């Protein structure tokens, strides 16, 4: 799986308007340039002078309960948004045959998987994320996390390697969808970059 370089904020992998009309340009701009950038800056400040400075977050998350809330919140926000942006794109809407087979094994069908993932996103109370992960048993699973937590963290209720995520904080959809999170979640299926998700799966 690709690793996040913690020394700089990676560029958004597409133009602000690339996901229109599902994700409008203004939302993407604020989400990346304000929210994501702020998590990155706050993460740098939180990690500075600690044993976690310059350590890849993929190595910090498994011991996050020792690293403290500031690194958990801001490091999580920095990482989760990077992972989210790199799961999105247009016109790459088919999982690879190997990933599709694993989805069908774990969830019976793609339709059933879509329903379970969507329900996890819609029912996450307050701010957080829904995830498709490869679990400890090497099977695919769906889980959700609070705030800026993620399934790589030792505090996660369900741990595993993330393949796909959706941000269900209000800032991810409020300008266009207002309170209609369910509409955003359904629309999200048309901007998943299944090529990227499949590549992650094949590297597990
Ligand atoms: Mn967000």
């Amino acid at each position: 799986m690709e690793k996040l370089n913690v020394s700089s904020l990676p560029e958004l992998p597409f133009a602000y308007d690339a996901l229109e009309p599902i994700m409008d340009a203004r939302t993407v701009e604020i989400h990346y340039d304000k929210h994501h950038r702020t998590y990155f800056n706050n993460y740098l400040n939180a990690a500075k002078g600690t044993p976690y400075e310059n350590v890849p977050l993929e190595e910090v998350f498994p011991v996050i309960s020792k690293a403290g809330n500031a690194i958990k919140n801001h490091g999580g926000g920095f990482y989760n948004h990077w992972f989210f942006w790199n799961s999105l794109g247009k016109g790459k809407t088919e999982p690879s045959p190997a990933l599709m087979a694993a989805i069908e094994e774990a969830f019976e069908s793609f339709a059933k998987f879509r329903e379970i993932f969507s329900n996890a996103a819609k029912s996450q109370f307050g701010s957080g994320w829904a995830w498709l992960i490869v679990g400890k048993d090497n099977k695919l699973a769906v889980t959700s996390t609070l705030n800026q937590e993620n399934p790589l963290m030792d505090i996660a209720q369900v741990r595993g390697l993330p393949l796909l995520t959706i941000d269900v904080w209000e800032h991810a959809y409020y300008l266009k969808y207002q309170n209609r999170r369910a509409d955003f979640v359904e629309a999200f299926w048309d901007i998943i970059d299944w090529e990227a998700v499949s590549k992650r799966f094949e590297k597990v």
Side-chain angles (χ1 to χ4, degrees):
M1 201 163 305
E2 73 267 41
K3 274 196 178 175
L4 171 61
N5 176 353
V6 293
S7 64
S8 61
L9 179 67
E11 282 185 27
L12 195 66
F14 42 73
Y16 291 141
D17 63 357
L19 305 175
E20 290 268 9
I22 289 160
M23 233 184 256
D24 60 287
R26 185 76 178 129
T27 294
V28 173
E29 181 177 359
I30 296 169
H31 200 170
Y32 171 74
D33 201 46
K34 305 295 183 197
H35 292 275
H36 194 181
R37 187 178 300 284
T38 300
Y39 283 115
F40 168 67
N41 289 332
N42 289 344
Y43 155 75
L44 287 186
N45 286 333
K48 197 170 180 162
T50 76
Y52 305 99
E53 188 173 8
N54 295 322
V55 179
L57 281 165
E58 292 87 347
E59 294 169 27
V60 177
F61 292 147
V63 293
I64 200 71
S65 56
K66 297 189 183 104
N69 278 335
I71 293 178
K72 181 184 79 171
N73 292 338
H74 303 298
F78 173 33
Y79 179 91
N80 291 355
H81 285 94
W82 166 75
F83 194 89
F84 178 60
W85 301 129
N86 285 285
S87 302
L88 301 179
K90 270 188 164 177
K92 301 167 188 169
T93 52
E94 282 286 303
S96 69
L99 177 56
M100 187 62 96
I103 286 172
E104 288 170 352
E105 192 194 338
F107 306 103
E108 290 179 18
S109 67
F110 186 84
K112 191 79 187 152
F113 156 64
R114 176 172 166 154
E115 190 187 327
I116 292 168
F117 184 93
S118 294
N119 284 342
K122 291 173 194 171
S123 64
Q124 168 59 36
F125 186 73
S127 295
W129 303 73
W131 305 84
L132 172 67
I133 62 168
V134 180
K136 293 282 171 203
D137 56 2
N138 248 7
K139 275 197 169 178
L140 299 190
V142 166
T143 186
S144 58
T145 57
L146 282 173
N147 299 325
Q148 295 298 353
E149 296 174 4
N150 69 49
L152 294 170
M153 295 181 175
D154 61 359
I155 53 159
Q157 284 185 340
V158 182
R159 293 178 68 182
L161 296 173
L163 298 180
L164 170 67
T165 193
I166 180 171
D167 184 346
V168 292
W169 283 60
E170 278 190 341
H171 65 234
Y173 59 86
Y174 201 84
L175 283 183
K176 183 177 168 74
Y177 297 88
Q178 290 84 46
N179 61 318
R180 301 186 307 279
R181 183 194 284 186
D183 292 354
F184 167 63
V185 171
E186 289 305 323
F188 171 78
W189 289 89
D190 289 333
I191 51 166
I192 296 173
D193 181 351
W194 282 107
E195 201 176 294
V197 178
S198 300
K199 268 188 200 150
R200 289 177 187 140
F201 175 69
E202 273 135 41
K203 283 179 191 161
V204 168

